[in-house]
mmCIF file of all heavy atoms in Angstrom:
data_model
loop_
_atom_site.group_PDB
_atom_site.id
_atom_site.type_symbol
_atom_site.label_atom_id
_atom_site.label_comp_id
_atom_site.label_asym_id
_atom_site.label_seq_id
_atom_site.Cartn_x
_atom_site.Cartn_y
_atom_site.Cartn_z
ATOM 1 N N ASP R 4 14.840 -18.193 1.073
ATOM 2 C CA ASP R 4 14.746 -16.807 0.626
ATOM 3 C C ASP R 4 14.922 -15.858 1.803
ATOM 4 O O ASP R 4 14.498 -16.146 2.925
ATOM 5 C CB ASP R 4 13.390 -16.537 -0.030
ATOM 6 C CG ASP R 4 13.263 -17.260 -1.362
ATOM 7 O OD1 ASP R 4 14.308 -17.658 -1.900
ATOM 8 O OD2 ASP R 4 12.124 -17.420 -1.826
ATOM 9 N N PHE R 5 15.551 -14.714 1.531
ATOM 10 C CA PHE R 5 15.766 -13.716 2.566
ATOM 11 C C PHE R 5 15.153 -12.395 2.136
ATOM 12 O O PHE R 5 15.067 -12.104 0.943
ATOM 13 C CB PHE R 5 17.269 -13.519 2.836
ATOM 14 C CG PHE R 5 17.923 -14.702 3.501
ATOM 15 C CD1 PHE R 5 18.284 -15.813 2.763
ATOM 16 C CD2 PHE R 5 18.145 -14.700 4.865
ATOM 17 C CE1 PHE R 5 18.877 -16.907 3.376
ATOM 18 C CE2 PHE R 5 18.735 -15.791 5.488
ATOM 19 C CZ PHE R 5 19.105 -16.902 4.743
ATOM 20 N N ASP R 6 14.718 -11.600 3.128
ATOM 21 C CA ASP R 6 14.162 -10.296 2.792
ATOM 22 C C ASP R 6 15.286 -9.268 2.728
ATOM 23 O O ASP R 6 16.458 -9.600 2.816
ATOM 24 C CB ASP R 6 13.072 -9.890 3.793
ATOM 25 C CG ASP R 6 13.628 -9.530 5.163
ATOM 26 O OD1 ASP R 6 14.856 -9.597 5.350
ATOM 27 O OD2 ASP R 6 12.814 -9.182 6.039
ATOM 28 N N ALA R 7 14.901 -7.987 2.554
ATOM 29 C CA ALA R 7 15.898 -6.927 2.366
ATOM 30 C C ALA R 7 16.798 -6.753 3.585
ATOM 31 O O ALA R 7 17.914 -6.252 3.468
ATOM 32 C CB ALA R 7 15.198 -5.611 2.047
ATOM 33 N N ASP R 8 16.336 -7.153 4.769
ATOM 34 C CA ASP R 8 17.131 -7.005 5.984
ATOM 35 C C ASP R 8 17.957 -8.236 6.301
ATOM 36 O O ASP R 8 18.639 -8.291 7.308
ATOM 37 C CB ASP R 8 16.216 -6.701 7.179
ATOM 38 C CG ASP R 8 15.490 -5.380 7.010
ATOM 39 O OD1 ASP R 8 16.111 -4.452 6.474
ATOM 40 O OD2 ASP R 8 14.315 -5.289 7.399
ATOM 41 N N GLY R 9 17.865 -9.263 5.448
ATOM 42 C CA GLY R 9 18.657 -10.457 5.656
ATOM 43 C C GLY R 9 18.035 -11.499 6.543
ATOM 44 O O GLY R 9 18.721 -12.405 7.028
ATOM 45 N N TYR R 10 16.727 -11.415 6.773
ATOM 46 C CA TYR R 10 16.055 -12.384 7.624
ATOM 47 C C TYR R 10 15.359 -13.434 6.765
ATOM 48 O O TYR R 10 14.752 -13.102 5.741
ATOM 49 C CB TYR R 10 15.025 -11.709 8.538
ATOM 50 C CG TYR R 10 15.665 -10.828 9.567
ATOM 51 C CD1 TYR R 10 15.899 -9.480 9.297
ATOM 52 C CD2 TYR R 10 16.061 -11.324 10.801
ATOM 53 C CE1 TYR R 10 16.508 -8.661 10.237
ATOM 54 C CE2 TYR R 10 16.662 -10.508 11.738
ATOM 55 C CZ TYR R 10 16.880 -9.184 11.452
ATOM 56 O OH TYR R 10 17.487 -8.372 12.368
ATOM 57 N N PRO R 11 15.422 -14.725 7.178
ATOM 58 C CA PRO R 11 14.762 -15.781 6.396
ATOM 59 C C PRO R 11 13.259 -15.552 6.346
ATOM 60 O O PRO R 11 12.601 -15.476 7.376
ATOM 61 C CB PRO R 11 15.101 -17.059 7.181
ATOM 62 C CG PRO R 11 16.268 -16.698 8.039
ATOM 63 C CD PRO R 11 16.099 -15.245 8.358
ATOM 64 N N LEU R 12 12.693 -15.451 5.153
ATOM 65 C CA LEU R 12 11.273 -15.206 5.026
ATOM 66 C C LEU R 12 10.451 -16.354 5.571
ATOM 67 O O LEU R 12 9.355 -16.169 6.079
ATOM 68 C CB LEU R 12 10.925 -14.955 3.554
ATOM 69 C CG LEU R 12 11.468 -13.654 2.962
ATOM 70 C CD1 LEU R 12 11.097 -13.558 1.491
ATOM 71 C CD2 LEU R 12 10.927 -12.449 3.695
ATOM 72 N N VAL R 15 9.986 -15.656 9.147
ATOM 73 C CA VAL R 15 9.156 -14.480 9.367
ATOM 74 C C VAL R 15 7.686 -14.822 9.274
ATOM 75 O O VAL R 15 6.861 -14.379 10.071
ATOM 76 C CB VAL R 15 9.514 -13.378 8.343
ATOM 77 C CG1 VAL R 15 8.500 -12.241 8.403
ATOM 78 C CG2 VAL R 15 10.915 -12.844 8.606
ATOM 79 N N TRP R 46 1.182 -6.769 9.301
ATOM 80 C CA TRP R 46 2.444 -6.485 8.617
ATOM 81 C C TRP R 46 2.777 -7.591 7.629
ATOM 82 O O TRP R 46 3.186 -7.318 6.486
ATOM 83 C CB TRP R 46 3.575 -6.334 9.638
ATOM 84 C CG TRP R 46 4.897 -6.090 8.958
ATOM 85 C CD1 TRP R 46 5.387 -4.911 8.508
ATOM 86 C CD2 TRP R 46 5.872 -7.082 8.619
ATOM 87 N NE1 TRP R 46 6.610 -5.097 7.912
ATOM 88 C CE2 TRP R 46 6.930 -6.415 7.969
ATOM 89 C CE3 TRP R 46 5.949 -8.456 8.811
ATOM 90 C CZ2 TRP R 46 8.060 -7.089 7.498
ATOM 91 C CZ3 TRP R 46 7.077 -9.130 8.336
ATOM 92 C CH2 TRP R 46 8.109 -8.447 7.695
ATOM 93 N N LYS R 50 2.969 -7.212 3.468
ATOM 94 C CA LYS R 50 4.149 -7.559 2.664
ATOM 95 C C LYS R 50 3.776 -8.512 1.539
ATOM 96 O O LYS R 50 4.210 -8.334 0.396
ATOM 97 C CB LYS R 50 5.241 -8.170 3.539
ATOM 98 C CG LYS R 50 6.457 -8.604 2.729
ATOM 99 C CD LYS R 50 7.639 -8.896 3.590
ATOM 100 C CE LYS R 50 8.800 -9.417 2.754
ATOM 101 N NZ LYS R 50 9.151 -8.508 1.640
ATOM 102 N N ASP R 54 4.099 -7.364 -2.387
ATOM 103 C CA ASP R 54 4.938 -8.130 -3.306
ATOM 104 C C ASP R 54 4.116 -8.667 -4.467
ATOM 105 O O ASP R 54 4.548 -8.643 -5.622
ATOM 106 C CB ASP R 54 5.622 -9.280 -2.571
ATOM 107 C CG ASP R 54 6.698 -8.811 -1.603
ATOM 108 O OD1 ASP R 54 7.091 -7.630 -1.682
ATOM 109 O OD2 ASP R 54 7.139 -9.622 -0.764
ATOM 110 N N ARG R 57 3.210 -5.850 -6.956
ATOM 111 C CA ARG R 57 4.331 -5.499 -7.828
ATOM 112 C C ARG R 57 4.492 -6.521 -8.953
ATOM 113 O O ARG R 57 4.677 -6.148 -10.123
ATOM 114 C CB ARG R 57 5.635 -5.398 -7.020
ATOM 115 C CG ARG R 57 5.771 -4.120 -6.201
ATOM 116 C CD ARG R 57 7.182 -3.963 -5.669
ATOM 117 N NE ARG R 57 7.514 -4.994 -4.702
ATOM 118 C CZ ARG R 57 7.307 -4.889 -3.404
ATOM 119 N NH1 ARG R 57 6.733 -3.787 -2.916
ATOM 120 N NH2 ARG R 57 7.649 -5.855 -2.581
ATOM 121 N N ARG R 201 12.973 -6.707 13.443
ATOM 122 C CA ARG R 201 11.781 -7.089 12.687
ATOM 123 C C ARG R 201 10.557 -6.399 13.214
ATOM 124 O O ARG R 201 10.376 -6.257 14.407
ATOM 125 C CB ARG R 201 11.541 -8.605 12.763
ATOM 126 C CG ARG R 201 12.660 -9.452 12.214
ATOM 127 C CD ARG R 201 12.925 -9.158 10.766
ATOM 128 N NE ARG R 201 11.695 -9.061 10.036
ATOM 129 C CZ ARG R 201 11.621 -8.597 8.801
ATOM 130 N NH1 ARG R 201 12.682 -8.164 8.185
ATOM 131 N NH2 ARG R 201 10.452 -8.544 8.186
ATOM 132 N N ARG R 202 9.656 -6.001 12.306
ATOM 133 C CA ARG R 202 8.408 -5.395 12.732
ATOM 134 C C ARG R 202 7.481 -6.417 13.391
ATOM 135 O O ARG R 202 6.583 -6.058 14.123
ATOM 136 C CB ARG R 202 7.680 -4.773 11.531
ATOM 137 C CG ARG R 202 8.382 -3.577 10.928
ATOM 138 C CD ARG R 202 7.487 -2.978 9.885
ATOM 139 N NE ARG R 202 8.152 -1.941 9.120
ATOM 140 C CZ ARG R 202 8.864 -2.166 8.016
ATOM 141 N NH1 ARG R 202 8.994 -3.410 7.583
ATOM 142 N NH2 ARG R 202 9.411 -1.192 7.347
#
Side-chain angles (χ1 to χ4, degrees):
D4 291 342
F5 291 79
D6 71 0
D8 297 323
Y10 292 90
L12 292 178
V15 170
W46 178 83
K50 177 166 176 54
D54 290 347
R57 283 192 294 270
R201 300 300 316 169
R202 293 187 188 88

